[in-house]
Amino acid sequence: MAQSRHSLFQQFAASDWDGFLKGLEKEGLRVDANGFIAQTPHPEALGSALTHPRITTDYSEALLELITPVFDNTEAMLASLRDIHRFVQQNLDNEVFWAASMPCEIDGDASIPIAEYGSSNTGRLKHVYRQGLAVRYGRIMQSIAGAHYNLSLPDSFWRKWQELVGNKDSLRDFKSDQYFWLIRNFRRRSWLLMLLFGASPALDASFVAGVRHDLARFDDRTWFGQHATSLRMGDLGYHNNAQASLNICFNELSTYTRTLDRAIHTNWPAYEAIGTRRNGEFVQINTNVLQIENEYYSAVRPKRTTERGEKPIQALDARGVEYIEVRCLDLDPFSPVGVNREQIDFLDLFLLDCLLTDSPRIEDDECERLDDNYKDVVAGGRLHSLSLCRGGQRVPVGEAAVEWLERLQPLAELLDGWNHSDTYRSALAAQRSKLEGNDWAVPSARVLEAMGQSGLGHRDWVQAISREHQQTLNSEPLAPEVLADFRAMSAQSLVEQKEQEAADSQPFPEFLEAYLKS
């Protein structure tokens, strides 16, 4: 009888285990003193959103995205994220960095400025892509923020693991196969992350003005999902008929890139009716189901760092999967940096177990059940009577969650034994404590409780806690050498943007045509 993957992993020794490689991308809105989305341009002190390695923008000019380097431990990654936050907070003047995933007060699409990246062809491509998102989905849903956690394992691990499982493929192909093994199990269990970390049960009334919904009234300015964990990941989030028609297959790299490439090259009649230009200006890159790969929203993505001018699919096909991007994380509004240490350590444990557990291919009927479990927890995960489908049976969500947490205990003990710490046991205990008693202390419940105790609706409560975080971070001045490094990065990024703009001689329509053909 073949050894289980968990048993094989136990053949590692502490000296063989080099841990995880990790990084974080954290989004957040700039908001004015009245709790309204900022109408100001990206602050010049933060450098060029096109070329800065740590600070850029996502969809909107007001939607910052902070990016850490890659680290081999949680503490260093969070310290870096905190430093980036400190620098940003020092350069926001009277604005605040919004602490929640669901946005501040807005006033329709026109109030959400699309991000600008200058006049280079690359900068214009990024802007036109965002114009395309506006005409396809509207700008309002693009004002939602989240955190993306990037995780990989070092080649030293993969070589040892490949030897233990007896695989003879190239290291590149083996790694890609194993990352998709992990992804398949992630899809089976991702509902658990929405229960444990979903933190967007409420929203400002302006977000759903004129929109039909089934939310409950919290006060005259706030709506909420009575049992929801994450409105960000629900029906009010990234949804439309074209995306719903996609059948992206996560079973292996070849099926993933092939089905995604097909979506990028399949025309969609509604987008064709819009066209690519209005009054001579580009409004979308093309009229296909997806303009580019990044338009497809999923809770997890296989990733590979791209070279200049290279598309994500091309990078994956050429060099294989480099890391996994977990995209379903709401911002933790109680944390000044949007995430916390125990959450990150738990994710490491969770993702490693996804790799170490049997992971058969996902057939269509299982795929539907997994999607239903995920949607049910997003919309009603705090309802104790909610049941999930598991192995053909219905199981109460709380019971299923506790069973998964207990399952992770031996792996946590093994890693802590190697590391001579209680890191993973503590992270696991922190999640288990959320599900004790009748009133689960999951983040979505904590948000509603805090709003109720404050007497404030969503906009005013998040504004107040955002100000508290700002004061906390501003009371921790950056070390002089760290501040100097950030200022240098900002200055250099502005220089690099101007150099790119000066070097571009190809007309943008020709550049776009060549890009689409590549």
Side-chain angles (χ1 to χ4, degrees), residues 136-210:
R136 292 167 177 229
Y137 312 106
R139 300 186 192 184
I140 290 176
M141 57 172 280
Q142 309 291 340
S143 62
I144 300 171
H148 299 167
Y149 182 54
N150 302 320
L151 179 121
S152 65
L153 290 155
D155 281 353
S156 58
F157 166 83
W158 290 119
R159 292 189 187 98
K160 176 74 171 179
W161 186 238
Q162 187 173 23
E163 176 188 335
L164 288 172
V165 301
N167 180 275
K168 303 298 182 182
D169 294 338
S170 69
L171 186 63
R172 182 196 73 178
D173 290 345
F174 176 71
K175 287 166 59 177
S176 293
D177 175 75
Q178 295 297 291
Y179 277 126
F180 271 88
W181 184 295
L182 184 161
I183 286 172
R184 293 194 298 270
N185 275 336
F186 178 94
R187 296 196 64 228
R188 293 180 170 104
R189 309 174 188 180
S190 55
W191 62 266
L192 179 60
L193 301 184
M194 304 319 302
L195 178 63
L196 296 176
F197 303 122
S200 56
L203 50 75
D204 188 76
S206 61
F207 186 84
V208 290

Side-chain angles (χ1 to χ4, degrees), residues 19-51:
F20 306 95
L21 299 173
K22 60 188 71 181
L24 199 84
E25 303 160 29
K26 189 260 187 174
E27 304 158 351
L29 285 169
R30 290 185 294 111
V31 175
D32 70 18
N34 297 315
F36 193 83
I37 187 171
Q39 301 297 296
T40 51
H42 186 65
E44 186 173 0
L46 301 184
S48 164
L50 179 67
T51 57

Side-chain angles (χ1 to χ4, degrees), residues 28-43 60-64 92 94-98 104-106 110-114:
L29 285 169
R30 290 185 294 111
V31 175
D32 70 18
N34 297 315
F36 193 83
I37 187 171
Q39 301 297 296
T40 51
H42 186 65
S60 172
E61 190 78 349
L63 186 56
L64 292 172
L92 291 186
N94 292 324
E95 295 173 351
V96 297
F97 197 22
W98 196 246
C104 56
E105 184 180 359
I106 54 179
S111 68
I112 302 169
I114 297 176

Side-chain angles (χ1 to χ4, degrees), residues 123-133 276 282-285 291 508 512:
R124 290 188 66 186
L125 180 69
K126 290 170 72 71
H127 181 76
V128 172
Y129 165 62
R130 286 158 174 76
Q131 291 279 13
L133 297 179
T276 57
F282 282 94
V283 295
Q284 56 181 342
I285 291 175
Q291 298 173 91
F508 180 70
L512 180 57

Side-chain angles (χ1 to χ4, degrees), residues 186-318:
F186 178 94
R187 296 196 64 228
R188 293 180 170 104
R189 309 174 188 180
S190 55
W191 62 266
L192 179 60
L193 301 184
M194 304 319 302
L195 178 63
L196 296 176
F197 303 122
S200 56
L203 50 75
D204 188 76
S206 61
F207 186 84
V208 290
V211 175
R212 292 183 63 183
H213 59 79
D214 58 1
L215 301 176
R217 177 74 74 176
F218 185 89
D219 64 17
D220 60 352
R221 289 199 50 85
T222 301
W223 295 95
F224 77 108
Q226 289 183 297
H227 305 290
T229 61
S230 176
L231 297 181
R232 166 178 170 262
M233 297 303 296
D235 289 341
L236 294 171
Y238 216 81
H239 239 58
N240 87 329
N241 290 332
Q243 291 249 342
S245 72
L246 294 176
N247 186 25
I248 305 301
C249 180
F250 284 87
N251 276 330
E252 57 191 29
L253 178 58
S254 60
T255 60
Y256 176 77
T257 57
R258 184 174 66 249
T259 53
L260 197 52
D261 186 66
R262 183 175 62 206
I264 296 169
H265 293 96
T266 298
N267 190 58
W268 188 254
Y271 301 157
E272 186 176 21
I274 295 171
T276 57
R277 301 198 199 196
R278 284 180 183 168
N279 301 319
E281 297 292 327
F282 282 94
V283 295
Q284 56 181 342
I285 291 175
N286 56 42
T287 61
N288 297 332
V289 176
L290 300 177
Q291 298 173 91
I292 60 175
E293 297 93 323
N294 290 349
E295 186 172 339
Y296 176 60
Y297 196 91
S298 59
V300 63
R301 279 182 188 165
K303 298 293 288 287
R304 160 64 65 174
T305 303
T306 56
E307 298 172 356
R308 188 169 182 182
E310 187 178 42
K311 296 176 180 177
I313 285 179
Q314 294 170 336
L316 284 169
D317 281 336

